[in-house]
Amino acid sequence: MTTPPPLGPPPALAWPAPAAQPVRVVTTNALATTALVTALLGLSVVAVVCGHVARRQIRRTGEPGDAQAVVGLVVGYLGLAATAVGVALVVGLVTLPFVTS
């Protein structure tokens, strides 16, 4: 039968514990998020402007968020195109009676 180890503090380490490393918090570019959200809300002009500015900042600083900025740009430009088509249709329908008579 073996005897249990004596109670007491654990033995000291032969080398010191490593120092804690600073934690780098990586945040997504705020304008990229703004571009995506405003594009989804239908604010196309704001989305396009924020998307272009965000992509410029991301290229300069290396922040994450390029995909969000690109999606915001694509949806924003699609919204602008849909608005332009809608305005053209409304103008065409309003002026159609004057052209045909």
Side-chain angles (χ1 to χ4, degrees), residues 6 31 62:
L31 281 175

Side-chain angles (χ1 to χ4, degrees):
M1 187 160 153
T2 61
T3 59
L7 297 177
L13 297 175
W15 57 88
Q21 297 296 321
V23 177
R24 180 173 179 254
V25 177
V26 179
T27 58
T28 304
N29 185 286
L31 281 175
T33 304
T34 304
L36 179 61
V37 170
T38 55
L40 294 176
L41 290 176
L43 303 171
S44 300
V45 175
V46 176
V48 168
V49 171
C50 288
H52 282 293
V53 174
R55 293 206 69 213
R56 186 179 323 121
Q57 287 180 354
I58 290 167
R59 278 194 304 269
R60 186 172 35 99
T61 63
E63 288 177 292
D66 190 53
Q68 284 184 352
V70 169
V71 171
L73 281 169
V74 168
V75 174
Y77 277 123
L78 288 174
L80 285 176
T83 301
V85 168
V87 167
L89 285 174
V90 168
V91 168
L93 291 175
V94 168
T95 58
L96 185 64
F98 300 112
V99 175
T100 57
S101 57

